[in-house]
Amino acid sequence: MDTIFALASAPGKSGVAVIRVSGPLSKRACIDLTGGLPEPRVASLRLIKDRKDQRLDEGLVLWFPQKQSFTGEDVVEFQIHGSSAVVSAILRELSGIEGLRGAEPGEFTRRALENGRLDLAQVEGLADLIEAETEAQRRQALRVLSGDLGKRADTWRQDLIRAAALLEATIDFADEDVPVDVRPEVTDLLGRTRMALFKEAKGVESAERVRTGFEVAILGAPNTGKSTLLNTLAGRDAAITSEIAGTTRDVIEVRMDLGGLPVTLLDTAGLRETEDKVENIGITRARDRANLADLRVFLRESEQVELPREIEIRDGDIVLLAKADLRGNSSGGVSGLTGEGVDDLVSRISNTLAERAGLTGIATRERHRVAIEKTIAALDEAARQLELGEDRTDIAGEELRSGVRALDALVGRVDVENILDEIFSSFCIGK
């Protein structure tokens, strides 16, 4: 196994920079550069020198012994002054030690996975934590990184193995009198596990929205103040506004944090009948994005104006009267120009999306949902085989083993090589 090294903190000038070394030659690298090895997991102030005994820097050095480190290997970290010159000098010195090489993107985390320090779901949680922009994303990523999904998967796995073992016992002792009918316990194990899996799968869509962001589309006829409202919500001029109908031709997106949730606001082309080909393209895009959005805000000139027939109102959608500043009574209205009703609108959007986010479980990705649903399908087939009679017990047992393999794929024990490169490509060099 090669020994790898990399800058683990952000590149550029900083007060402190961290260089990480992982592998069997980590201790040698530490001794070569500092003249000794500090006590395990204790920060030690050391002079860092090159092979000519010239001083490179002074900083803190930590040594993490094998199986007590992030990667599961011997790891040394140099916490040094964060100038580009200091970092470059120490990286250059490390590259001159035989057996050391620069790390690839995500290689430290990949070694943690291979050495059993993290399961695949935790690796995904770490990637999500690094990318987290809002409080809800941070909390969700930490839950996955903490190993909660892996712990639940282990519980489900143990129950399925127990059920399979009970069925195997009836097969092995088919010619003897088995004192206990195992079917009630097997049925209970399958039902309990299936219920937990179904609940987890149901929350994946909401969890994925927390991870990637909710979409909220602002819809209405031309000149109802959609772009002005978007600019007010965004706190900047993200969209062009004018009195000319059809100014907005494409979908304009603004990313923001609403109540700790990641939200992308969509300003869309005004919905109307028109002979303008370019505007028609914008209107078609507006309808398509509206149908895919998690929540829609409809603006209309008056209560007598009908909403577009092509877009069906869904639960949670918000319908408001536009340009509340021009009305004597602003109740049920909103104005992006003066800000009337905007705080109430933000509160309604936040509360609606927070309620949906509250339905999330720990599984956060489409890959998780697929693995869980494969397990559910295996349990359903096992239950069906058991109902067909005792001569189908062996088939039911094989279905349970298929369910166990699907759970193993969920946490990365098997059948995940095809997705590892994609996952680790999102990591920086030093992680």
Side-chain angles (χ1 to χ4, degrees):
M1 178 68 74
D2 293 339
T3 297
I4 57 175
F5 65 90
L7 176 67
S9 53
K13 291 182 180 180
S14 60
V16 177
V18 178
I19 293 177
R20 176 181 289 167
V21 186
S22 178
L25 297 180
S26 297
K27 290 187 286 186
R28 175 188 162 188
C30 183
I31 293 171
D32 285 356
L33 268 65
T34 68
L37 198 66
E39 292 294 319
R41 304 172 70 86
V42 176
S44 176
L45 183 64
R46 297 291 179 91
L47 287 176
I48 302 172
K49 299 181 179 180
D50 63 15
R51 281 160 288 184
K52 297 180 181 180
D53 205 35
Q54 296 295 311
R55 178 174 173 172
L56 299 176
D57 194 22
E58 183 178 35
L60 295 177
V61 180
L62 294 99
W63 171 49
F64 302 90
Q66 186 179 18
K67 297 183 180 180
Q68 296 182 358
S69 69
F70 172 72
T71 63
E73 305 171 332
D74 285 341
V75 170
V76 171
E77 287 189 357
F78 300 93
Q79 298 184 7
I80 56 177
H81 294 98
S83 79
S84 299
V86 171
V87 170
S88 296
I90 295 177
L91 290 177
R92 186 167 55 248
E93 196 64 25
L94 288 170
S95 67
I97 300 176
E98 186 177 355
L100 270 66
R101 64 169 176 82
E104 298 176 356
E107 191 168 4
F108 290 98
T109 306
R110 187 160 191 158
R111 291 191 176 195
L113 173 67
E114 292 170 347
N115 293 325
R117 300 292 291 172
L118 298 174
D119 62 38
L120 184 59
Q122 288 177 289
V123 170
E124 292 168 327
L126 178 57
D128 291 342
L129 183 61
I130 293 172
E131 296 293 329
E133 298 175 333
T134 70
E135 180 64 16
Q137 289 175 322
R138 182 192 67 80
R139 291 197 304 266
Q140 179 173 276
L142 277 176
R143 289 178 66 193
V144 180
L145 177 58
S146 69
D148 285 356
L149 182 58
K151 293 171 185 174
R152 290 193 186 182
D154 280 340
T155 299
W156 299 330
R157 187 176 187 274
Q158 290 168 11
D159 285 346
L160 297 189
I161 290 175
R162 167 68 177 169
L166 290 170
L167 294 180
E168 292 289 346
T170 65
I171 297 172
D172 293 342
F173 298 98
D175 297 331
E176 303 178 20
D177 292 331
V178 180
V180 178
D181 182 4
V182 302
R183 284 176 297 179
E185 183 177 355
V186 171
T187 300
D188 178 65
L189 288 169
L190 297 189
R192 184 175 65 203
T193 303
R194 188 191 188 285
M195 185 178 299
L197 288 166
F198 181 79
K199 182 179 179 181
E200 198 63 49
K202 191 175 180 181
V204 170
E205 184 176 355
S206 296
E208 196 163 21
R209 277 289 182 262
V210 172
R211 188 171 65 84
T212 61
F214 292 92
E215 286 194 349
V216 177
I218 303 174
L219 302 167
N223 277 344
T224 51
K226 300 183 299 300
S227 297
T228 303
L229 178 59
L230 176 78
N231 291 341
T232 299
L233 292 170
R236 60 186 176 88
D237 290 337
I240 298 174
T241 61
S242 81
E243 296 179 356
I244 302 173
T247 299
T248 302
R249 298 297 184 96
D250 205 349
V251 177
I252 298 172
E253 303 183 8
V254 174
R255 183 87 166 183
M256 59 190 305
D257 182 333
L258 284 183
L261 293 171
V263 177
T264 299
L265 293 174
L266 309 176
D267 178 25
T268 60
L271 302 176
R272 67 170 179 172
E273 298 295 330
T274 178
E275 299 298 325
D276 188 316
K277 292 183 179 180
V278 176
E279 187 179 353
N280 263 325
I281 293 173
I283 292 171
T284 299
R285 291 184 179 180
R287 289 169 178 162
D288 291 342
R289 291 299 293 273
N291 288 327
L292 294 174
D294 301 287
L295 179 63
R296 285 86 60 83
V297 177
F298 293 91
L299 300 182
R300 54 180 178 173
E301 292 282 4
S302 70
E303 295 180 354
Q304 285 71 41
V305 175
E306 293 186 1
L307 295 172
R309 296 179 181 178
E310 301 87 349
I311 302 175
E312 183 179 350
I313 299 295
R314 302 190 301 233
D315 289 341
D317 284 345
I318 299 171
V319 181
L320 296 171
L321 293 176
K323 302 179 181 179
D325 54 300
L326 302 180
R327 306 174 187 279
N329 182 6
S330 62
S331 176
V334 66
S335 171
L337 187 63
T338 63
E340 293 180 60
V342 170
D343 288 344
D344 181 61
L345 173 60
V346 170
S347 178
R348 291 178 66 180
I349 294 174
S350 300
N351 291 339
T352 300
L353 297 182
E355 184 177 343
R356 297 180 187 180
L359 301 175
T360 63
I362 299 178
T364 59
R365 294 174 179 251
E366 178 65 12
R367 184 187 71 80
H368 301 166
R369 185 191 64 78
V370 170
I372 289 171
E373 290 191 350
K374 283 183 178 179
T375 307
I376 293 173
L379 298 191
D380 289 345
E381 183 59 23
R384 192 180 74 84
Q385 292 296 331
L386 287 175
E387 290 176 356
L388 293 176
E390 295 182 0
D391 58 334
R392 299 297 187 98
T393 300
D394 55 339
I395 301 177
E398 183 56 36
E399 289 296 335
L400 290 181
R401 285 187 284 274
S402 295
V404 170
R405 287 193 292 271
L407 289 177
D408 285 343
L410 175 64
V411 293
R413 290 193 179 98
V414 296
D415 194 31
V416 293
E417 287 299 323
N418 59 327
I419 66 169
L420 288 181
D421 290 340
E422 179 183 349
I423 291 174
F424 289 115
S425 66
S426 67
F427 281 78
C428 60
I429 295 292
K431 198 63 180 176

